[in-house]
Amino acid sequence: MKQQSILVSHAGGPEVLELGETKIPTPREGQVLVKVEATGVNFIETYQRSGIYAVRYPFTPGSEFSGTVTQIGKNVRHLKVGDRVATASGEKGYAQYTVVNESELGKVPDKVDLRLAAALPLQGMTSHYLTHSSYLVRSGDVILTYAGAGGVGLLLTQILKMKGATVITTASTQEKKDLARAAGADHVVDYDQVEATVDKVTNGVGVHAVYDGIGKDTFETSLKVLKRRGTLVLFGGASGQVPPFDLQRLNAGGSLTVTRPKLADFLATDEERAWRFGDVFGWAATGDLDVRVGQKFALADAGDAHRALESRKTTGKVLLVP
Ligand code: NDP
């Protein structure tokens, strides 16, 4: 049986995301076949597509998706045909069907719409580990983050507010600023207003932590606005990667900490994955976490989805619907 999927034959621009026909895969031991309901589009796939991250060709991107289990491999213990599932750590999700190790999947609570469930695992669990593990946010902290209307930004802001932090964030348009404010951000400003805002809000002391997913364009400001012993969590490079820098600057800046984490290292055990998945989907089920899908694209238009993400045209989550 054949299916449609995206195939990338070499590194390049969004045009290398071509729709093709592949065989529907058969689940091996410990795996299930998932009929994809929707696939999350994430920056990592733009890094993979353009060659910043090495991949093997032909390549089908897509680690985040939701769907229904349609076939079970040998020794699958916790899932059955018909289960509604989602993952942030699958493979080949830009497709109608894909196989996944049972251990990578979480069950989607009944109260969460299956399509919406594709909008949550990667950016939701990222926001979870950033706030609970990379730097443990405490009530009363003042936190700076950027792109407050982005996929991570909207979820991160809501989780920061749950934890009792004051949130300073940025957005490039009025529409995005309104969304960031609606998510609970206390101060939403232009990028060139960050230093002055931190200065005002913290009486010149600086912020406890910065969550920086913009990278090249914001890194210097992020270091500058930290308080003594503050932490910079550099978790992405939407504007480009940060060049090498002199560690001595951390000493001069006030014994600062910089960390450069990735989600996979914070889903290291079944327990850890279940904890983060359970919290994030639990909050979505109770309505404590509002999940916004900004744009949906057909699978064939995956290139347009990448173009939109890379050119700052998106808000919230971008989904592909096969
Ligand atoms: P977003 O939805 O946040 O989109 C990126 C946003 O960044 C844009 O909408 C834009 O918002 C802002 N931006 C500022 N400068 C630029 C620029 N030069 N080019 C493009 N965008 C820019 O994306 P995601 O939520 O998917 O991802 C945000 C970041 O988080 C990415 O860097 C991604 O790699 C990272 N990430 C890291 C993970 C990890 O574990 N380390 C996991 C998941 C994501 P505005 O117009 O308002 O400025």
Side-chain angles (χ1 to χ4, degrees), residues 191-246:
Y191 285 77
D192 61 3
Q193 290 303 307
V194 167
E195 279 181 53
T197 307
V198 169
D199 213 39
K200 198 165 142 203
V201 172
T202 67
N203 292 320
V205 172
V207 296
H208 295 79
V210 181
Y211 293 110
D212 185 345
I214 307 300
K216 189 160 76 64
D217 290 356
T218 48
F219 184 73
E220 290 297 328
T221 302
S222 298
L223 274 184
K224 215 166 171 181
V225 300
L226 285 172
K227 71 190 293 243
R228 175 180 285 163
R229 287 160 51 180
T231 299
L232 167 50
V233 184
L234 178 70
F235 68 98
S239 69
Q241 304 306 315
V242 174
F245 90 114
D246 179 5

Side-chain angles (χ1 to χ4, degrees), residues 23 31 95 152-153 263 276 279 316:
K23 236 181 104 198
Q31 293 186 324
V152 172
L263 176 61
R276 300 196 198 283
D279 273 3

Side-chain angles (χ1 to χ4, degrees), residues 172-183:
S172 64
T173 66
Q174 191 55 47
E175 184 210 351
K176 288 183 174 189
K177 287 193 175 97
D178 292 344
L179 285 170
R181 261 187 217 104

Side-chain angles (χ1 to χ4, degrees), residues 6 8 12-18 49-50 302-308 310:
I6 294 293
V8 178
E15 70 285 351
V16 301
L17 295 163
E18 289 185 293
R49 186 211 71 220
S50 58
D304 289 340
H306 277 213
R307 275 183 203 100
E310 290 177 300

Side-chain angles (χ1 to χ4, degrees), residues 21-42:
E21 251 192 7
T22 52
K23 236 181 104 198
I24 295 180
T26 306
R28 295 198 304 266
E29 186 162 347
Q31 293 186 324
V32 301
L33 180 67
V34 173
K35 181 176 190 297
V36 175
E37 177 74 21
T39 302
V41 178
N42 291 289

